[in-house]
Amino acid sequence: MKCRKCKVPAEISLPSHNTAFCRACFSTYFTGQVERAIDKHKLILPGESVLVALSGGKDSLTLMLELSRLGHDVTGLHVDLGIPVSSAAARAKVEGFCAQHGMKLHVVELIKEGLPIPDVKKYINRPVCSACGKIKRHWFNRVALEGGFHCLATGHNLDDEVARLFANTLRWDAGYLSDQGPCLQAESGFARKIKPLYRLTEFETACYAFINGISIHSAPCPYSGGASFTGHKALWSNLEYNSPGSKISFYDGFLKRGRPAFALVEKEEGHELSPCTSCASPTSTEVCGVCRLKIAVTERRAADPDRATDRVRDKA
Ligand code: AMP
Ligand code: FES
Ligand code: ZN
């Protein structure tokens, strides 16, 4: 197979686009998709500063490199979850990447914040992944606002977005369906959130990371045992195989016709938000969900006899 643009032997086949590219033309194509996403949804305006949430995985590191190559003012944000072995490995990838490219990086350490994920797992009786997601989003927003960034970018790709949209649709979750998309506008207490890779598949971001020699953290989280929405993703990969282009047309169609309809309904049912009395993050209760988690974890940790033994041992 030959590269569609320059006719040298192709290295990357993209059936969804009925095409194949050599490395150089793939990079041009990739950049074109990111620019198209940014322009179409006004994700980043000229001169704006972007805080990029970096997990150490292929998507977020790819995003950081591409936005920086496009000339955007980027700063990385890594949330160190405090999970033994796995968190140190992920953080090392992020720190190594930012040092190699001379990029700014901000790290939040959940151990220092009193809310490491192993303690959340131990003391909170709810799925750890959902609590962890909530804590990460809390810090993304907080650092973006406190640091005066114009927006917060995450590495969600087309497969992530389609799987999430599909899950929301299966439940007809009007709340989520009213605002899922590549750009969630800023409102009081919330930074603008953007997903510049939403037009690119997981395969395409993996190719970009490989071609550019990005060293990634690929081990799954020990608590979740793998990627989210695995079943939905498998289903969609089958659909895409049989009918190339299904993913992007489902997602684009939703943005054009589905989301506006749900947004109309949801607008009438908005909740009043005010700053959390402890950390100032927006919340519909007096103290926000993350501060309540922190209080619960702190209390249960203090009452835990195993931890009391640890403390005596630490002091000795
Ligand atoms: P995930 O939900 O793990 O698929 O991650 C989605 C996106 O959230 C990633 O592409 C990153 O932009 C961001 N992210 C996930 N985990 C972290 C983390 N520990 N620190 C910073 N950003 C993260
Ligand atoms: Fe949060 Fe695994 S529990 S990444
Ligand atoms: Zn709070």
Side-chain angles (χ1 to χ4, degrees), residues 12-79:
I12 300 159
S13 157
L14 300 178
S16 311
H17 297 269
N18 192 21
T19 196
F21 290 124
C22 68
R23 284 187 186 211
C25 293
F26 172 77
S27 296
T28 310
Y29 153 82
F30 194 97
T31 300
Q33 292 294 330
V34 175
E35 282 182 315
R36 187 169 162 190
I38 293 174
D39 292 347
K40 189 159 184 221
H41 299 280
K42 300 191 173 43
L43 301 184
I44 310 169
L45 301 177
E48 287 192 332
S49 55
V50 188
L51 184 66
V52 186
L54 300 176
S55 61
K58 63 183 185 328
D59 302 307
S60 53
L61 295 183
T62 286
L63 173 63
M64 182 79 167
L65 186 58
E66 187 58 26
L67 289 182
S68 133
R69 284 180 175 167
L70 284 171
H72 295 291
D73 173 8
V74 286
T75 299
L77 165 64
H78 178 66
V79 180

Side-chain angles (χ1 to χ4, degrees), residues 1-12 19-22:
M1 203 184 284
K2 290 192 172 150
C3 171
R4 184 169 78 182
K5 281 181 83 183
C6 69
K7 312 299 176 213
V8 303
E11 272 191 83
I12 300 159
T19 196
F21 290 124
C22 68

Side-chain angles (χ1 to χ4, degrees), residues 138 142 275-283 286-292:
H138 169 95
R142 216 165 136 177
C276 164
T277 49
S278 174
C279 75
S281 293
T283 173
E286 198 182 329
V287 177
C288 79
V290 169
C291 287
R292 275 183 281 136

